[in-house]
Structures are given as structure tokens and as C-alpha cells.
Amino acid sequence: MSDCNDKQILILHVAEKLFAEKGFDGTSIRDISKEAKINIAMVSYYFGSKEKLLERLILFRTNDLKVQLENIFNEQLTSFEKIDKFIELYIDKIDSNRHMYQILHFEISYKKRAIDLASFTAVKNGNLVSLTKIIEEGQAQNVFKKDVNIPLITPVILGTYFNFHTNKPYFAEILNLNSDEKYDQYIKNELTKHIQQTIKSLLINEK
Amino acid sequence: MSDCNDKQILILHVAEKLFAEKGFDGTSIRDISKEAKINIAMVSYYFGSKEKLLERLILFRTNDLKVQLENIFNEQLTSFEKIDKFIELYIDKIDSNRHMYQILHFEISYKKRAIDLASFTAVKNGNLVSLTKIIEEGQAQNVFKKDVNIPLITPVILGTYFNFHTNKPYFAEILNLNSDEKYDQYIKNELTKHIQQTIKSLLINEK
Amino acid sequence: MSDCNDKQILILHVAEKLFAEKGFDGTSIRDISKEAKINIAMVSYYFGSKEKLLERLILFRTNDLKVQLENIFNEQLTSFEKIDKFIELYIDKIDSNRHMYQILHFEISYKKRAIDLASFTAVKNGNLVSLTKIIEEGQAQNVFKKDVNIPLITPVILGTYFNFHTNKPYFAEILNLNSDEKYDQYIKNELTKHIQQTIKSLLINEK
Amino acid sequence: MSDCNDKQILILHVAEKLFAEKGFDGTSIRDISKEAKINIAMVSYYFGSKEKLLERLILFRTNDLKVQLENIFNEQLTSFEKIDKFIELYIDKIDSNRHMYQILHFEISYKKRAIDLASFTAVKNGNLVSLTKIIEEGQAQNVFKKDVNIPLITPVILGTYFNFHTNKPYFAEILNLNSDEKYDQYIKNELTKHIQQTIKSLLINEK
DNA sequence: AATGAATGAGTGTTCATTCAT
DNA sequence: CATGAATGAACACTCATTCAT
């Protein structure tokens, strides 16, 4: 980020990790300062307050999230391939931003703090637009059916991923994914494939 | 619950609400005692500690979750109808236990507290068994396709619901659900239908 | 004690043990009620308050302390034998009332509580009188020297015993008293003998 | 102490006084902060916890206790004079460290806290060695008798002093020491003399 | 006569934040 | 510019005690 020095970025990274692990309220400034090996006063000094640190963190990361899902539409691909690619990139993106999503997840749920989520909403809207364009193109080509509730498709993608990930211990056990590598591989292959299959089925099958 | 008097149940209800709204760490015993209009010492008196209150709350509610999804299998319904009913009941169940699920969600995610989630896991396993039986029956009847990852189906159901619900403000806006009633109705009708449609599309054995 | 029922006596015994082990402030009514397996309210109910329990305990036990050291004087013994017997009985008495003495010790030291120690003072005075009579008899017989500060003799007896006992772990180690039995035997034999020897040496009228 | 600032030393002093007066459990951090006119959080801030404050206090003071009783042996004095000096210095030392000894006394007696008393034990051992050397020299010169239990001599010295001091109100009354000065003078003169006389008698008289 | 339920005051400790340097 | 020192408020929890039954 432009207006951040190294120490600020360090704090943001450590805060991101700890907030994701233990929650905002469960993480103290002391925890952050200890892990980042910086002075306790630094957080208030640089960010004003713990809450403002969170806001900056969200801003800091949301910029990252504006990845180009919108470009897919213009690529030389079939509608099916575009859907596949959209999901693959989407999953990949949130998977590599797990921490931030975990944090956002909670902040959105909790009515406690009034975090400005405008930029995050903008990202979601952008993604919805991209997806809508792809689907409508497929519908125009008569490869996708017409009566589908498009805004409810992203929840299927994201929700499936998050639910799987939230219950990591459970799925790791019943699917025998006894290492982080296997687990990550499973997400990249099986889970992504499953979601792709699900969305594509929804888009073509009349039932 | 059998071994709980009225005041204990009151505390559990208030705690459930506040934990769901503000998180466990974000809720103080003072908050609970104030909202429940009871003495601060009561929580420790009845439950031993804040953490044990959470444990009791989970236990208290998890018992509620063991509703009979397993009975659906034996009803006189087509495989598709069984899937519809399974999803409808499932969504309905988690929707009326939103608070508890919200809390569990966080407790599962956070590595902080070592809550005993055995009973919750048992519920999930039971539901998976029920679903598997329905699907395998449909596969045996050749109405469902074989190539489907059954354990990944519940994440689609639950995940979609939760993702929708977590982003309530977002969806309320883009779907124009400007009252809680409309929002709840949307879940009961559109969202449930969408999920049913999604799962059935995924399962259908198209020629 | 006349006006104490069994439960009250049980409480007094348990309180004595715990007060001696952990101090008055370090012992909670809960500790007592738990160890005595009685209701928490019982202590306040029977004794009025924790502090009054302590008072009653002191009264209860001080009566026990009024053992007959005064009879020694009238026995058919030499002055040395009387001293020996006085010390032996004295040590034996405080040794079997360790707990109470430990408690009294602290209560006397601390300015915190205004415990009525009149009866305890009376006991000490009685003992001092008895000792004085024995010593003065020896002095009259010219076997004890005149130049001795009699009131400072009991501190030597009691102090030595208590200092030894307070530093039990230390002495147990350097004297190789690796069991409670050995330790108790050492007090009964060596320590008592040592104190007797000390006092008699002090009293002896060497030419 | 080297690594203590003024405020820390202030806290240590106030804590020492209050712990000695009212016991560790009987003294609250609020009591200390009030008396020292510092913020309540300071104790935890500087020492980590109330218990660690006690530990630091013991360490802080025990260093003081390592006074040179060992030098006496090498001085140009008779064995008798060495004993006299040893006792005088010893009494003087513990008398000026009353508070700390009072505290230690209790901590040693109570099984509650696991305070590291290693350094205190070391001091005791050092003193015992010094005393042993003096006595053995006297024995070698045939001025002291042989059959004396040397490890039991320090309990006579310390015990007599402590017993006298613990029962200050009692002795103040029967010895008519109606001011702190008179009382202190009595310890310095009479009591010390009495203890010296006692030990010397023990070391020379066969009985 | 005895007790379970309940409570207000107090416990030690941690919190995010401020401020002098 | 950066930080160690310091703090008031809040934290979860335990205390001795009371009271209705």
C-alpha cells in the first residue's frame, strides 16, 4: 500500500493473522505487538486505535481482492469454460485470502462495529456483474437455461467453499485429508470441481 | 432442558443472542447480566464460568438440532421429493437456530477455545447418513447419477444458506428485501427453492 | 465443648486444620464447607461469621491448653527433674496442639483482627507462675543460680520448638528425617532433650 | 536493588509493610496501591502478579540478609566473644528485618504458595556453617563441651527472639515496656544478653 | 432447624489508550 | 519520530453473607 511503511505493513500482516485465528475481540494489541516484535504504543500511534487498524486492514486487503474476474468474459472460451474459469479463479482468490475473508465474515455478521464495507460491497458487485454477463451470454446462446436466480449463485460458490473450510477438521477426518497439503490439494481439485459441476448443472438442467 | 431452572434458561437465551450478535469475546458477563436483568455473579454461580456457559449453551442447543431428518427416507416419496423435503427441513432447522449456528461457526473456526464439539459432529454425521441413503436410493433407481461427491453436498446446502444470511445487508439491498419479514420469506421460498433446484440439478441423471 | 453439637465440632475441626494450613485469609468458607461436606450457609448460621468462627475456635481450643503443668511442682522430684518434666509436658502439649498454636501465632502477629486473647494470656500466665515456682524452689535450694530472667525462659522453650517446626522442610533435610514419623520422633526425643539441656544449663548454679 | 526504579522500590516497601502486618492473603493489591499512592495496575505492570511481587520482595530482601556473620570467625576474639558477637549480630540483623522474617515465616509455614526459598535456605546454611566453625574451634580448645547438637542452636537463638517478638503485647505488659523504644532497647540489651547467656551455658555446662 | 438460592462488594488481572520525553 | 511508562476502565471471577422457605 502506498502510504504504509514497512512497520505498518508488518503490523497489518500480524493483525490479519491473529484476527483470523482468534477474532478481533480475542486478539489484544499486546498479542499483536508481541508477535510483530514492536512497541505496544505503535498500533495506536500508526493507526489511531485498534478499530481503525481493522478498518485499514480491510481497506488494505480489499484492494487485493479486485482481481480481474471481469476479463474472463472477453476471453475466447465457451460459456462452460468461462463458468469453470470464473469459479476456479474465484475459489483460488478467496483461498489465498482466507484470513481476510475470515475476518470480514465475522465483521459483517456482528452488529458490533460499524466498519465501512463499501469497498468490499463494490468488489462483490463487480463480481456479480462479471458472472451475470457470462451467464446471460450463455442464455443468449441457449446453452444455459433462463430461469435461474443469478444473485444466488455466488452464495453457492462462496458458501460451499467457506462451509467446507470452516469445518476443516470435520472434512479432514471423513475425507482422510491428514495433512495440510492434501487438504489444500483437495480444495484445488475436488472441491473446485464439485462446485463447477454444481453450478453448471444448475445452469443447464431443468428440474 | 431438564436440569435448568427458569433463570438458567433465561441466561442461556440472553447469552445465545449476545454471543451471536457480538461474539463470545465481544460479550461480557456484564452485558449478559444487564440484558437478562440478573446479578453479575449469577453466571459464574450457575455455570461456573463464562466458558462453561458457552459449553452448556452448545449442549443445550445441540440437543435441539437432532431433529428427524432420518425419517424422510422412509416416507412414501420420490427421490426428488425426498431431496426437496430434506433440504426444506434442513434449512428450516438451521434458520430457526441461526443464533446457535452463528456461535458454533465461530467457535469451530477459532482455535482459541477447546469446546467439545462431539455432539455437534454426531449430528452432522447423522444428517450425512440420512442424505446418503436418499441419494443412493435414487442412484439405485437410476434417477440420480452416480458420479457425485456426496459429502460435499451438505456444504452446498448449508454454505449457501449461511453465505446468504451472513451477507444479509448486501442481499437485502440488491434483492429489495426492505423488511425482516420479506427477508425471512425470501429464505423460506426463493432461497430454499434455489438450493433445492441446485442440488437436484447436480443429482439428476441426464441422458 | 458443652454448647456445640456434632456438626459444629466438625466445622471447628475442619476450620482448625485449614486455618493452620492456609491461614485465615487463605481459607474460604467454601473450602471449609467443602472439606466438612456441609452447607456453605452453616458456618454463618452456627457461628455468625467467619471471624466469629475463629473466635469460637480459639476459645474451644484454649480450654484444652490449660493442662496441668502446675501439678508438677507438687510432685516428689528434684528441681532438675521438675524442669525436665515441665519442658517435656509443655512441648508435648504444644506439639499435639500444633494447629491451634500455628493459628494463634498468626492472629497474635497480625494487627488485622481484634481477637480476644484473654484466655490465652491467662494460660500463659498460669504456666509462667508454675515455672517460676519450680525455679525459685531450685534457687532456694541453691541448685539453680539466681541471675536468670525467668519470663524469658518460656520463649526459649516455645521459640525453639516453633522455629524448628516452622522450618520443618529445612531440618527434615539436614537432619535426614525423611518421614513424618522420624520427624515426630526427633521432636519427642532429640529436640525435647536439647531444650531440656539448654534450660538446665542456663539454670544450673555452676561453681 | 539494581534493576528497580524508585516506584518499584516504593511498592516493595509498602508491600513488605502490609504483608507483614496483615499477611499476604490479607493484603489486597488495592491496599498496596492506596498506601503507596500508585495506580492499581502498577503492581501487575511492574511485577506481573501479586505472587511475583512477593517473590521479588523475598529476593530483594534475602540479598540483604547475607550479612557477614562468617567474618566473625576470623576475628581476634575468644570463642566466648565470638559466640556473643555472632548472636548479637544475628539478632540485630533479624530485628532490622522483622517485616521480611515475619513474611517468610508465614510463607514457609503455609503450604499454599510454592515460593522459591532456595536463596533463603542458602543464607541459613551459610550461617550454620559459620556457627559450626566457631563452636568446633571452641571444642578443639576444650572450652566448649563436645556433645551438643549444633543444628539445634540456631532455633534457640531465632526462636527465642521470634517468640518474644510475636508475643510483644504480652511481654510489653509483664515487663512493663510501655513504649516502642523501651521494647526495642529491651531486645537489644536484655533479650540479646539472655540468649547469649543461654547458648554459652549450653556450650559449657554438662548436665 | 437447616439450606439452596441469591447477591453486592471485592478480588487479581488485562485492556486499549495516552503522554512525556 | 518513536517509545517506555503509566493509567482508568473494564474484565472474569470469588468472597462472606443474607434470606425465604
Side-chain angles (χ1 to χ4, degrees):
Chain A
M1 208 168 181
S2 52
D3 54 341
C4 281
N5 63 33
D6 287 0
K7 228 165 215 171
Q8 283 174 281
I9 290 179
L10 171 63
I11 293 172
L12 287 169
H13 276 124
V14 170
E16 181 178 27
K17 179 180 166 254
L18 294 182
F19 287 167
E21 270 175 14
K22 310 194 290 179
F24 180 80
D25 290 312
T27 305
S28 75
I29 287 194
R30 261 161 198 79
D31 292 338
I32 297 170
S33 75
K34 194 181 255 178
E35 181 115 354
K37 280 164 193 161
I38 49 114
N39 189 278
I40 322 169
M42 291 260 51
V43 171
S44 295
Y45 176 67
Y46 274 137
F47 301 94
S49 71
K50 191 186 168 190
E51 205 142 316
K52 276 179 194 151
L53 164 63
L54 176 61
E55 280 173 32
R56 275 286 288 281
L57 180 57
I58 293 176
L59 221 66
F60 175 68
R61 277 296 184 218
T62 315
N63 285 336
D64 270 23
L65 300 181
K66 289 176 193 156
V67 219
Q68 272 56 20
L69 292 176
E70 61 214 54
N71 294 338
I72 298 167
F73 178 72
N74 298 317
E75 293 182 31
Q76 291 285 23
L77 297 168
T78 69
S79 291
F80 285 106
E81 285 166 341
K82 285 181 185 176
I83 289 291
D84 274 345
K85 189 153 190 188
F86 182 89
I87 291 171
E88 187 194 339
L89 287 181
Y90 210 161
I91 298 283
D92 192 59
K93 188 179 67 173
I94 56 179
D95 195 45
S96 56
N97 280 290
R98 282 173 190 182
H99 282 342
M100 181 39 46
Y101 272 100
Q102 171 85 349
I103 297 166
L104 278 170
H105 205 233
F106 288 55
E107 290 310 312
I108 295 169
S109 314
Y110 290 161
K111 298 158 187 169
K112 231 187 155 191
R113 283 169 291 278
I115 302 293
D116 180 33
L117 299 163
S119 58
F120 186 60
T121 302
V123 171
K124 281 193 288 194
N125 277 327
N127 291 338
L128 181 54
V129 166
S130 302
L131 180 63
T132 305
K133 277 165 72 182
I134 296 172
I135 292 175
E136 285 176 347
E137 186 187 44
Q139 288 172 332
Q141 294 167 2
N142 263 329
V143 292
F144 293 163
K145 70 174 177 189
K146 294 269 155 51
D147 79 323
V148 67
N149 197 332
I150 300 177
L152 295 186
I153 288 186
T154 19
V156 176
I157 302 172
L158 297 184
T160 304
Y161 168 82
F162 283 125
N163 189 271
F164 183 83
H165 195 259
T166 300
N167 294 283
K168 179 172 176 175
Y170 176 74
F171 286 109
E173 202 194 319
I174 70 167
L175 297 172
N176 212 27
L177 308 169
N178 45 31
S179 77
D180 279 356
E181 289 73 35
K182 280 188 185 171
Y183 177 80
D184 287 341
Q185 275 305 310
Y186 193 87
I187 286 177
K188 253 196 167 50
N189 302 326
E190 303 309 316
L191 185 66
T192 302
K193 210 180 76 194
H194 174 77
I195 295 172
Q196 290 168 332
Q197 194 183 347
T198 303
I199 302 300
K200 285 185 296 183
S201 300
L202 174 65
L203 289 171
I204 57 168
N205 291 327
E206 305 289 343
K207 185 73 208 179
Chain B
M1 206 172 185
S2 52
D3 54 340
C4 281
N5 62 34
D6 288 359
K7 225 161 218 171
Q8 281 175 280
I9 290 179
L10 170 65
I11 294 173
L12 287 169
H13 276 125
V14 171
E16 182 177 29
K17 179 178 166 256
L18 295 181
F19 287 168
E21 272 175 12
K22 311 195 291 177
F24 180 79
D25 289 314
T27 305
S28 75
I29 286 193
R30 268 162 193 78
D31 293 338
I32 297 170
S33 75
K34 195 179 261 178
E35 179 114 354
K37 281 164 191 159
I38 47 114
N39 189 279
I40 322 172
M42 291 261 53
V43 170
S44 295
Y45 175 66
Y46 275 137
F47 302 96
S49 70
K50 192 186 167 189
E51 203 142 320
K52 276 181 195 148
L53 165 63
L54 175 61
E55 279 172 34
R56 275 286 286 280
L57 180 57
I58 293 177
L59 220 67
F60 176 67
R61 277 297 183 219
T62 315
N63 284 337
D64 270 23
L65 301 182
K66 288 175 194 156
V67 222
Q68 269 57 19
L69 292 175
E70 63 216 52
N71 294 337
I72 298 167
F73 178 71
N74 297 318
E75 295 182 30
Q76 291 285 23
L77 299 167
T78 69
S79 289
F80 283 108
E81 286 167 339
K82 283 180 184 176
I83 289 292
D84 273 345
K85 189 154 191 188
F86 182 89
I87 291 172
E88 186 195 339
L89 288 182
Y90 210 160
I91 298 284
D92 191 61
K93 188 178 70 173
I94 56 180
D95 194 45
S96 55
N97 280 291
R98 283 173 189 182
H99 282 341
M100 182 36 50
Y101 272 100
Q102 170 85 349
I103 296 167
L104 279 170
H105 206 231
F106 288 57
E107 289 310 311
I108 294 170
S109 312
Y110 289 160
K111 299 157 188 169
K112 236 187 151 189
R113 281 169 292 280
I115 302 292
D116 180 32
L117 299 163
S119 57
F120 186 58
T121 302
V123 171
K124 281 193 287 196
N125 277 328
N127 292 339
L128 181 53
V129 167
S130 302
L131 180 63
T132 305
K133 276 163 74 181
I134 296 171
I135 293 176
E136 285 176 347
E137 187 187 41
Q139 288 172 333
Q141 295 166 1
N142 256 337
V143 293
F144 291 167
K145 70 174 169 199
K146 298 265 157 49
D147 169 30
V148 68
N149 196 333
I150 300 176
L152 295 186
I153 288 183
T154 18
V156 176
I157 303 172
L158 297 184
T160 304
Y161 168 82
F162 284 124
N163 190 270
F164 183 82
H165 195 260
T166 300
N167 293 284
K168 177 171 177 175
Y170 177 74
F171 286 109
E173 203 194 318
I174 69 167
L175 296 172
N176 211 28
L177 308 168
N178 45 31
S179 77
D180 278 357
E181 288 72 35
K182 280 187 185 171
Y183 178 80
D184 286 342
Q185 276 305 311
Y186 193 88
I187 286 179
K188 253 195 167 50
N189 302 326
E190 303 309 315
L191 184 67
T192 301
K193 212 180 76 192
H194 174 77
I195 296 172
Q196 288 168 333
Q197 203 180 342
T198 303
I199 302 301
K200 285 185 295 181
S201 301
L202 175 65
L203 289 172
I204 196 168
N205 193 5
E206 76 272 37
K207 281 107 221 171
Chain C
M1 207 169 182
S2 50
D3 55 341
C4 283
N5 62 33
D6 288 0
K7 227 165 214 172
Q8 282 174 283
I9 291 180
L10 171 64
I11 294 173
L12 287 168
H13 276 124
V14 170
E16 182 177 27
K17 179 178 166 256
L18 294 182
F19 286 167
E21 271 176 13
K22 311 194 290 177
F24 179 80
D25 289 313
T27 305
S28 75
I29 287 193
R30 262 162 196 75
D31 293 338
I32 297 171
S33 75
K34 194 182 255 179
E35 180 116 355
K37 282 163 191 160
I38 48 115
N39 188 278
I40 322 169
M42 291 260 51
V43 171
S44 295
Y45 175 68
Y46 275 137
F47 301 95
S49 72
K50 191 186 168 191
E51 204 143 316
K52 276 180 196 150
L53 164 64
L54 175 60
E55 280 173 33
R56 275 286 288 281
L57 179 58
I58 293 178
L59 220 68
F60 176 68
R61 275 296 184 218
T62 316
N63 285 337
D64 269 23
L65 300 181
K66 288 177 193 156
V67 222
Q68 271 58 20
L69 293 175
E70 62 215 52
N71 294 338
I72 298 167
F73 178 71
N74 296 319
E75 294 182 29
Q76 290 286 22
L77 298 168
T78 68
S79 290
F80 283 109
E81 286 167 341
K82 285 180 183 175
I83 290 292
D84 273 346
K85 190 152 190 188
F86 182 89
I87 292 170
E88 188 195 338
L89 288 181
Y90 210 160
I91 298 284
D92 193 60
K93 189 179 67 174
I94 56 179
D95 196 45
S96 54
N97 280 290
R98 283 173 189 183
H99 282 342
M100 181 40 47
Y101 272 100
Q102 171 86 348
I103 296 167
L104 279 170
H105 205 234
F106 287 57
E107 289 310 311
I108 294 168
S109 313
Y110 289 160
K111 297 158 189 169
K112 231 189 155 191
R113 280 168 293 278
I115 300 293
D116 180 32
L117 299 162
S119 58
F120 186 60
T121 303
V123 171
K124 280 193 286 194
N125 276 330
N127 292 340
L128 181 53
V129 167
S130 302
L131 180 63
T132 305
K133 278 164 73 181
I134 296 173
I135 293 177
E136 285 176 348
E137 187 186 44
Q139 287 171 331
Q141 293 167 4
N142 255 338
V143 294
F144 289 167
K145 69 176 168 198
K146 298 267 156 49
D147 170 30
V148 68
N149 195 334
I150 300 176
L152 295 186
I153 288 185
T154 19
V156 177
I157 302 172
L158 297 184
T160 304
Y161 168 81
F162 283 123
N163 190 271
F164 184 82
H165 196 259
T166 299
N167 294 284
K168 178 171 176 175
Y170 177 73
F171 287 110
E173 201 194 319
I174 71 166
L175 297 172
N176 213 27
L177 308 169
N178 44 31
S179 77
D180 279 356
E181 289 73 36
K182 279 188 185 171
Y183 177 80
D184 286 342
Q185 276 304 310
Y186 193 87
I187 286 179
K188 252 196 167 51
N189 303 328
E190 303 309 315
L191 184 66
T192 301
K193 213 179 76 190
H194 175 78
I195 296 173
Q196 288 168 334
Q197 203 181 340
T198 304
I199 302 301
K200 285 186 296 183
S201 301
L202 176 66
L203 289 171
I204 197 168
N205 192 5
E206 76 275 35
K207 284 104 218 173
Chain D
M1 208 170 184
S2 51
D3 54 342
C4 282
N5 64 32
D6 289 359
K7 224 161 220 173
Q8 281 175 281
I9 290 179
L10 170 64
I11 294 173
L12 286 169
H13 277 125
V14 170
E16 183 177 28
K17 180 179 164 255
L18 294 182
F19 287 167
E21 272 175 11
K22 309 195 289 177
F24 180 80
D25 289 315
T27 305
S28 74
I29 287 193
R30 272 163 187 79
D31 291 338
I32 297 170
S33 75
K34 195 178 262 178
E35 180 114 354
K37 282 163 191 161
I38 48 114
N39 187 280
I40 323 172
M42 292 261 53
V43 171
S44 294
Y45 175 65
Y46 275 138
F47 301 95
S49 70
K50 191 186 168 191
E51 204 142 318
K52 275 181 196 150
L53 165 62
L54 175 61
E55 279 173 35
R56 273 287 286 281
L57 181 56
I58 293 177
L59 219 68
F60 176 67
R61 277 297 184 216
T62 315
N63 284 338
D64 270 22
L65 301 180
K66 288 178 194 155
V67 219
Q68 270 56 19
L69 292 175
E70 63 215 53
N71 293 338
I72 298 167
F73 178 71
N74 297 319
E75 294 182 29
Q76 291 284 20
L77 298 167
T78 68
S79 290
F80 285 105
E81 288 167 338
K82 285 180 183 175
I83 289 292
D84 274 346
K85 190 155 189 186
F86 182 90
I87 291 170
E88 188 195 337
L89 288 181
Y90 211 160
I91 297 284
D92 192 60
K93 189 179 69 174
I94 56 179
D95 195 45
S96 56
N97 280 290
R98 283 173 191 183
H99 281 342
M100 183 37 48
Y101 272 100
Q102 171 85 350
I103 296 166
L104 278 170
H105 207 232
F106 287 54
E107 289 309 311
I108 294 168
S109 313
Y110 290 159
K111 298 157 189 169
K112 235 186 151 190
R113 280 168 294 277
I115 301 292
D116 180 32
L117 299 162
S119 58
F120 186 60
T121 302
V123 171
K124 281 192 287 195
N125 277 330
N127 292 340
L128 181 53
V129 166
S130 302
L131 180 63
T132 305
K133 277 165 72 182
I134 296 173
I135 293 176
E136 284 177 349
E137 186 186 43
Q139 287 171 334
Q141 294 166 2
N142 264 330
V143 291
F144 292 163
K145 69 173 179 189
K146 296 271 156 48
D147 79 322
V148 66
N149 196 333
I150 301 178
L152 295 186
I153 289 185
T154 17
V156 177
I157 303 172
L158 297 183
T160 304
Y161 168 82
F162 284 124
N163 190 271
F164 183 82
H165 195 259
T166 299
N167 295 283
K168 178 172 177 175
Y170 178 74
F171 286 110
E173 202 194 317
I174 71 166
L175 298 172
N176 212 27
L177 308 168
N178 44 33
S179 77
D180 279 357
E181 289 72 34
K182 280 188 184 171
Y183 178 80
D184 286 342
Q185 276 304 311
Y186 192 87
I187 286 178
K188 251 196 165 49
N189 302 326
E190 304 309 315
L191 183 66
T192 302
K193 213 180 76 191
H194 175 76
I195 296 172
Q196 289 169 331
Q197 195 182 346
T198 303
I199 303 300
K200 285 186 295 185
S201 300
L202 175 65
L203 288 172
I204 57 170
N205 291 326
E206 305 288 343
K207 185 74 207 176

